[in-house]
Structures are given as C-alpha cells and as structure tokens.
C-alpha cells in the first residue's frame, strides 16, 4: 500500500498516474516504483501494464481496478487489434499546453498517433520541446520542464479552425475513448475503418492535403526532428477521413491527383498496396467505386486495356463504353484508315480525348459492335497479319502450311480469311503469362537467328501447337510478344534436321561424320562411282548440295569393312 494515495485525474493515463504517485511518495526515481510492482520502466512509460499488475496497483492505491484498466493500453489493444502497434505513440508523448498549466500530467487519449487535437481546447497537441527541439518524454511532461529548462506549458500552440479536421478528430476520439458506439462511413467498425485509413495512405502520400493546409502530405518518410511527424500523421488521418465523405466525389478527387502526380513505377507499387484492402470483406462499396473509376479512365483513353486492374479482373473491360483504336487494330485487325472511314461515314462514334499533349481516339463500343456484326466475320490477309503480329507475306506461308484457310466471299476479287480461325490460331499459339520478362528470343528474333536452319513461322507455330515449343509472354498484344526458350528452339532445329535427312537424305558433311573419313577420300569415292548421290540441289547462287541415301552410305561402310576393293580405289 502506498503511504500517500493521490486521486486519478480525469482522462489521465496509468503511466502518468504512476509517475505522479512515485513523486507523491518521494521515491528516488520511477525505477523504484517499477521494481516494487515488478514491471520494466519502458513498459510503464508506454502504458503497457498487464491486468495482473493493475490489480496490484488497485489494491495499493485504493482506485478501482476497472477504472485503472481503462487508463492503460489493454483496452486499446483490444479495440485496435493488429493495428495497435501502428497507431500508438511509444517512447515519447504529446500534450496540450493549456491542459497542463495547473498541473502537469498525461492524458490517455494523447497516445493515439492519428488523434492530435485536444478535445477540450480544440488546439493541436505539441510533441517536441520548443526550446531545444527534442521529443518530449513522459518524465519531462510530469516534471513540466524539459532538460534544457523550457517550461512546457509555455509552448506556442495552433488553434484548429478547419471544420473537416474537427469532425474527423471528434469522430475518432468518441469511437476510441467515448461511451457512444463508433460511427464510421460504410458502417465499418473501428478496426475495419483504421484498416481502410492505413491502406488509403498509399494513395495520399506525397499528395495534397485538401484541408486548407499548404504543402504535401508526408506519411511514410517523416522527419526525426521537430513536429513534422506528428503533424503529418494528423493531417494524413484527417485527409483520409475526408476522402470518404461525400462519397464517391472526394474519393475520385484523390484518385485523379494520384494518377496525375505519381510516376508510373511508384503508382503501380502504391496502387497494388491499396488494392490489398479488397482482399478482405467489408469494402464492397469502395471496391465498386474504385473499379468504376478505372473503367471510366479506360473510356477516356487514360489507361489501356492491359492495365493491371483489368488483368486481375478482365470482366471489367465489358463495362467500358469506349474502346481504343489501337485495341481494335490489334484484336480484330481493322486498320486505322478503315476506322476513320467508318467515322467519317457516321457509321461509328469516334471521340477524341486530350491527355496532356497527346490525343486519344476512343470508339463507342455499341456503334462499333453493330458495324462488326454487319461487316461480317471475314478479314483480309493484311488484317490477319495485324492480329497475329506478323508480316503480311507470312500469312501466305500459314495458308500453304495448312494453318489457315481462305474463303471466297460474294463477288469479291480477293479471298478472305475467317476472323474466328485467325483468333483461334492466336489463342492456341500464345504463350503462358509471366509477370517478369522471361529469358529467350521473341518470335522475330528467333526467325532471324534460325532462318539459316530452315526455321519458319509455320514450323514455329506447328511446334507450338504440338507442345514442343512452350513460349512465355509478359505483355501480350500479338504473337510478336511471344518469348521462346533457346534450348527448345535448338531441339526444334534438331528435329527438323532429322526430318530432312529422312526426306532428302544426308549431306556430304553428314557422310564424313558417319564414315569417319576426310572430304578428299569421300570425293575420290564419288569420282570412282563408289559413293553416288541420290539427289543434287542447286540454290539461287549456283551452289550445289549433294544428298545421299542411308542405304548408299551403309553400302560404302560395308565395303570398307569386308572388301579390299574400296581400299584399292
């Protein structure tokens, strides 16, 4: 039992009470009291005192244990759950200069990082000494004086007049420390709302405050000196609260600023961090508004159909009212000239959106779908080449190779191809998606490198359809983006060589390897009629290539082993 019992101040934290209790009983330091009740000084300073110790303090101080429990962080740990350590101020304190003028003490509510307003005096809390700039410690606050001699209640303070800040802070205070049930947007409880706030920081960091305060929000890169960290967390929370008022208008305002002012690399990283929110239940209204925003941006041509959110949920693309000229060109093969001709003839609606210095051309989906339906299911070779991402001349090779068919449509002069058959070939020949760029060669690189080995577009697609080639892609517009592994391509070359040997025979180089003889000896046999080529092929440059059957090679091998006739040649 403490010899001198003192009353607990209204809203005082348990750590603050123990400091005052230590002083009232003339202990040499707070360490004496901490040792007496068997807790560490850091735990006492940070108000993290177990229920067992609270019972002991209650018996010794005469204050009801339930009252003491509410002044400790145990209740906050229950309320905030997994977000407790991210939202509680530790190893330092903040305070209201007006509240401590009569006697220095620490209020329990001052420990919450986003809560930075004295609810009694409506002024922003102070968290550093205005004499030396160091963080204020609990022992200095109880003493009322910093080590530098500055009297803490003489600190200059800022009266909060912004209504949005006052409302945000009041709602937070009532929800955590009040007796009324929490009242947050979307009927979220305290944990779910704080989770929403923390995820929203990824959209707000580096952006505008919107609450009448100049400068940018600095949420994740706070300074270690001065009042910047405390103040930034204050405005970050208030702005996050504001963005979900008048929903979804202010939410859209934040997204517009985020899209306009964030670099592409940073935007994708922060956007992905925010979207993790939707992996949890309870945020369906926000998720719908968020998806609707990006669909609207796709309609304006600001983002493309391969934007990350559409990769995750391709069905969102069906909500668009417009599609880009580029998408039409690559998906169904219609040329820009044809699209503009249809627009000039007022058969489709073509809108122009300005994006900084560039113009985006978007086609109304409904008007275009009507044209496509009436236009038919057949396309030209040039349009097929655009869809597949290959040269126009390669379409002829695919037709000769049996991979595509041609059709005579009406009285047209030229044969056409089925759009559905072209798209089917595209889908069957496309690779597997990978997030990171895979090692290997793109389609055209492979064709250039292995053209001397007879590798053609037809053979690549047939090897792919046969499962021998298994390409990858990380950005798919057409077959041109397919990436092929070099070892699989080398295997294809080997297969082609074997097939060529079966069909046409073996070259002289192959014969030399099989019989283990030199070129001079082999040519001597050819001159003497022992080794006779089955076929001679002459290329465009006049170079001749001799081919030999396996039987003729084996016949010479037999003569080498069993007869002296060859050795005498």
């Amino acid at each position: 039992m403490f010899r001198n019992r003192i009353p607990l101040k209204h809203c005082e934290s348990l750590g603050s009470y123990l400091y005052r209790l230590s002083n009232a009983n003339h202990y040499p330091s707070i360490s004496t009291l901490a040792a007496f009740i068997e807790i560490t000084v850091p735990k006492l300073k940070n108000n993290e005192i177990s229920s067992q110790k609270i019972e002991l303090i209650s018996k010794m101080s005469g204050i009801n244990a339930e009252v003491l429990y509410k002044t400790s962080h145990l209740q906050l740990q229950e309320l905030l759950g997994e977000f407790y350590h991210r939202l509680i101020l530790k190893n330092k304190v903040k305070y209201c200069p007006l509240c401590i003028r009569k006697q220095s003490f620490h209020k329990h509510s001052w420990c919450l990082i986003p809560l930075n307003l004295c609810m009694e005096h409506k002024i922003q809390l102070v968290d550093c000494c205005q004499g030396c700039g160091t963080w204020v410690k609990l022992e200095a606050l109880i003493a009322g004086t910093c080590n530098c001699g500055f009297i803490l209640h003489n600190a200059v303070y800022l009266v909060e007049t912004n209504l949005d800040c006052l409302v945000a802070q009041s709602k937070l205070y009532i929800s955590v420390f009040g007796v009324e049930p929490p009242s947050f947007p979307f009927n979220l409880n305290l944990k779910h709302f704080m989770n929403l706030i923390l995820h929203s920081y990824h959209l707000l960091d580096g952006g505008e405050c919107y609450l009448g305060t100049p400068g940018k929000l600095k949420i994740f890169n706070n300074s270690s000196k001065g009042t910047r960290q405390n103040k930034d967390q204050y405005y970050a929370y208030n702005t996050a609260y504001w963005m979900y008022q008048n929903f979804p208008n202010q939410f859209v305002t934040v997204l517009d600023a985020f899209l306009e002012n964030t670099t592409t690399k940073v935007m994708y990283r922060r956007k992905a961090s925010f979207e993790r929110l939707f992996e949890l239940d309870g945020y369906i209204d926000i998720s719908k508004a968020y998806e609707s925003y990006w669909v609207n941006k796709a309609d304006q041509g600001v983002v493309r159909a391969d934007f990350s959110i559409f990769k995750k949920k391709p069905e969102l693309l069906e909500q668009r009212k417009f599609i880009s000229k580029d998408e039409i060109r690559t998906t169904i093969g219609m040329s820009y000239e044809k699209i503009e001709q249809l627009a000039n003839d007022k058969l489709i609606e073509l809108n122009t959106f300005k994006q900084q210095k560039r113009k985006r051309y978007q086609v109304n989906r409904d008007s275009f779908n009507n044209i496509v339906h009436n236009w038919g299911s057949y396309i030209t070779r040039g349009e097929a080449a655009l869809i597949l991402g290959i040269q126009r001349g390669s379409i002829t090779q695919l037709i000769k190779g049996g991979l595509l068919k041609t059709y005579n449509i009406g009285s047209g002069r030229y044969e056409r191809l089925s759009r559905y058959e072209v798209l089917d070939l595209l889908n069957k020949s496309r690779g597997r998606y990978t997030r990171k760029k895979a090692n290997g060669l793109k389609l055209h690189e492979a064709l250039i490198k292995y053209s001397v080995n007879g590798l053609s577009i037809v053979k690549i697609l047939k090897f792919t359809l046969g499962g021998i080639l298994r390409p990858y892609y990380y950005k798919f517009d057409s077959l041109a983006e397919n990436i092929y592994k070099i070892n699989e391509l080398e295997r294809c070359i080997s297969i082609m060589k074997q097939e060529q040997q079966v069909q046409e025979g073996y070259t002289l180089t192959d014969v030399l390897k099989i019989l283990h003889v030199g070129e001079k000896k082999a040519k001597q046999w050819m001159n003497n009629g022992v080794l006779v080529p089955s076929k001679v092929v002459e290329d465009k440059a006049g170079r001749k290539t001799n081919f030999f059957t396996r039987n003729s090679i084996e016949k010479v091998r037999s003569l080498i082993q069993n007869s002296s006739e060859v050795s005498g040649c």
Side-chain angles (χ1 to χ4, degrees):
M1 180 180 296
F2 295 110
R3 180 172 298 177
N4 294 322
R5 294 183 174 186
I6 59 174
L8 181 71
K9 285 187 170 292
H10 179 63
C11 298
E12 185 176 14
S13 68
L14 184 52
S16 170
Y17 174 70
L18 292 176
Y19 258 96
R20 292 196 306 109
L21 193 61
S22 173
N23 293 339
N25 285 275
H26 308 291
Y27 289 145
S29 70
I30 193 65
S31 301
T32 306
L33 186 146
F36 189 65
I37 59 177
E38 298 181 341
I39 63 172
T40 64
V41 173
K43 288 281 186 183
L44 188 151
K45 288 182 177 181
N46 288 322
N47 219 28
E48 296 179 334
I49 303 169
S50 68
S51 56
Q52 230 178 3
K53 302 304 178 186
I54 289 175
E55 291 288 346
L56 177 61
I57 296 168
S58 173
K59 291 177 183 178
M60 298 174 68
S61 66
I63 299 176
N64 185 282
E66 188 176 342
V67 174
L68 293 176
Y69 173 83
K70 292 181 179 179
T71 67
S72 75
H73 282 359
L74 290 178
Q75 189 174 27
L76 292 179
Q77 288 174 349
E78 291 181 7
L79 285 171
L80 300 175
E82 64 269 31
F83 307 113
Y84 168 79
H85 293 290
R86 298 178 64 181
L87 298 171
I88 296 297
L89 194 64
K90 293 189 178 184
N91 304 319
K92 51 184 175 283
V93 296
K94 50 189 177 181
Y95 68 97
C96 167
L98 299 182
C99 286
I100 66 168
R101 284 203 169 166
K102 290 183 180 180
Q103 183 179 9
S104 291
F105 73 105
H106 178 258
K107 285 188 177 182
H108 191 205
S109 60
W110 295 345
C111 67
L112 198 61
I113 292 175
L115 189 62
N116 196 52
L117 191 72
C118 174
M119 304 313 297
E120 180 181 352
H121 300 106
K122 301 297 184 287
I123 67 173
Q124 291 186 24
L125 302 181
V126 178
D127 66 346
C128 71
C129 173
Q130 294 182 1
C132 61
T134 59
W135 297 116
V136 177
K137 305 291 184 180
L138 181 58
E139 56 267 31
L141 178 63
I142 300 302
T145 307
C146 179
N147 290 335
C148 70
F150 181 78
I151 299 173
L152 296 179
H153 69 69
N154 287 335
V156 178
Y157 54 83
L158 178 64
V159 178
E160 184 58 79
T161 58
N162 185 279
L163 182 60
D164 290 311
C165 289
L166 292 170
V167 169
Q169 294 286 291
S170 176
K171 288 285 186 182
L172 181 59
Y173 177 83
I174 292 172
S175 298
V176 179
F177 301 100
V179 294
E180 298 179 16
S183 175
F184 289 117
F186 316 108
N187 295 318
L188 296 175
N189 61 29
L190 178 61
K191 284 184 186 177
H192 285 169
F193 187 71
M194 295 313 298
N195 187 37
L196 172 61
I197 293 294
L198 292 172
H199 277 84
S200 300
Y201 284 170
H202 293 286
L203 300 179
L204 291 169
D205 188 36
E208 188 178 342
C209 178
Y210 301 105
L211 301 178
T213 301
K216 303 293 183 181
L217 291 172
K218 297 177 182 178
I219 302 173
F220 298 118
N221 58 337
N222 294 311
S223 172
S224 61
K225 295 182 180 180
T227 59
R228 182 180 300 174
Q229 183 183 35
N230 197 48
K231 189 175 181 181
D232 286 342
Q233 292 297 319
Y234 170 69
Y235 284 115
Y237 173 81
N238 294 341
T239 305
Y241 184 91
W242 170 87
M243 72 184 281
Y244 294 106
Q245 306 304 305
N246 191 24
F247 190 80
N249 295 342
Q250 287 161 195
F251 180 63
V252 169
T253 298
V254 171
L255 288 175
D256 280 340
F258 172 73
L259 179 61
E260 182 178 351
N261 301 322
T262 312
T263 61
T264 302
K265 184 178 180 180
V266 173
M267 181 190 71
Y268 274 97
R269 174 170 52 81
R270 292 186 182 172
K271 182 173 159 295
S273 297
F274 175 74
E275 289 171 0
R276 293 193 187 101
L277 175 73
F278 305 132
E279 297 173 5
L280 307 171
D281 295 331
Y283 304 100
I284 185 65
D285 292 335
I286 302 169
S287 176
K288 286 181 178 179
Y290 182 76
E291 292 170 354
S292 177
Y293 174 84
W294 292 114
V295 169
N296 183 49
K297 291 303 172 185
D299 277 342
Q300 296 174 12
V302 177
V303 297
R304 303 193 331 170
D306 60 357
F307 195 60
S308 58
I309 193 169
F310 301 130
K311 287 182 178 179
K312 290 180 182 178
K313 299 184 72 172
E315 63 272 18
L316 291 177
L317 293 172
E318 298 303 314
Q319 298 178 18
R320 293 177 301 166
K321 297 178 181 178
F322 293 88
I323 50 179
S324 69
K325 286 173 61 177
D326 292 334
E327 189 178 347
I328 293 172
R329 184 176 184 269
T330 55
T331 54
I332 68 168
M334 184 180 288
S335 65
Y336 292 144
E337 293 77 10
K338 182 68 175 179
I339 295 171
E340 291 175 359
Q341 179 186 339
L342 293 172
N344 291 334
D345 294 339
K346 297 184 178 180
L347 296 175
I348 62 172
E349 180 185 343
L350 181 64
N351 289 356
T352 304
F353 295 92
K354 288 186 178 180
Q355 185 183 1
Q356 295 177 351
K357 295 181 180 180
R358 300 180 62 185
K359 288 185 178 181
R360 299 287 186 181
Y361 298 93
Q362 300 288 100
V363 179
N364 180 277
R365 284 188 68 192
D366 291 338
S367 64
F368 181 73
N369 288 338
N370 290 334
I371 286 295
V372 170
H373 178 75
N374 297 328
W375 189 42
S377 303
Y378 298 95
I379 56 178
T380 64
R381 299 189 184 202
E383 290 166 338
L386 283 174
I387 294 175
L388 296 176
I390 59 178
Q391 298 293 326
R392 188 179 186 281
S394 298
I395 298 296
T396 302
Q397 296 181 38
L398 297 182
I399 295 170
K400 290 180 178 179
L403 294 172
L404 291 175
K405 296 179 182 178
T406 57
Y407 300 89
N408 287 313
I409 305 300
S411 57
R413 179 181 175 186
Y414 300 104
E415 292 179 325
R416 288 180 173 260
L417 297 92
S418 166
R419 177 185 290 106
Y420 303 107
E421 289 179 4
V422 172
L423 292 174
D424 183 57
L425 178 62
L426 175 68
N427 291 328
K428 288 179 178 178
S429 305
R430 72 192 310 181
R432 290 175 291 173
Y433 173 72
T434 178
R435 290 186 177 182
K436 296 182 179 179
K437 186 174 181 180
N439 293 324
L441 299 175
K442 286 191 175 183
L443 176 64
H444 295 301
E445 293 172 342
L447 288 172
I448 292 171
K449 181 173 181 178
Y450 294 104
S451 60
V452 294
N453 302 103
L455 188 66
S456 65
I457 180 68
V458 174
K459 292 189 179 294
I460 284 182
L461 295 188
K462 285 186 175 181
F463 281 130
T464 301
L465 296 174
I468 296 173
L469 284 177
R470 293 169 295 177
Y472 291 86
Y473 72 90
Y474 67 95
K475 174 187 174 185
F476 191 84
D477 290 326
S478 63
L479 294 180
E481 299 299 329
N482 272 4
I483 299 172
Y484 299 87
K485 292 183 177 179
I486 293 178
N487 63 325
E488 292 182 356
L489 290 168
E490 297 286 356
R491 185 187 171 199
C492 293
I493 299 301
S494 178
I495 293 172
M496 290 166 53
K497 188 172 182 180
Q498 292 173 8
E499 291 175 348
Q500 183 184 35
Q501 289 172 346
V502 171
Q503 294 175 2
E504 298 183 353
Y506 296 81
T507 63
L508 183 59
T509 302
D510 297 329
V511 172
L512 301 180
K513 291 179 181 179
I514 294 171
L515 297 179
H516 304 291
V517 297
E519 185 177 357
K520 182 177 179 181
K521 189 68 174 177
K523 288 189 175 180
Q524 185 181 358
W525 291 339
M526 290 173 63
N527 293 332
N528 293 338
V530 176
L531 182 63
V532 180
S534 60
K535 181 167 58 174
V536 179
V537 178
E538 185 175 348
D539 61 18
K540 294 180 180 179
R543 293 186 293 264
K544 294 182 179 180
T545 302
N546 296 300
F547 290 92
F548 304 87
T549 64
R550 187 73 190 188
N551 288 337
S552 64
I553 297 170
E554 292 301 326
K555 182 179 179 181
V556 174
R557 189 204 296 272
S558 177
L559 289 173
I560 293 173
Q561 294 174 349
N562 303 319
S563 174
S564 61
E565 179 182 349
V566 174
S567 61
C569 296

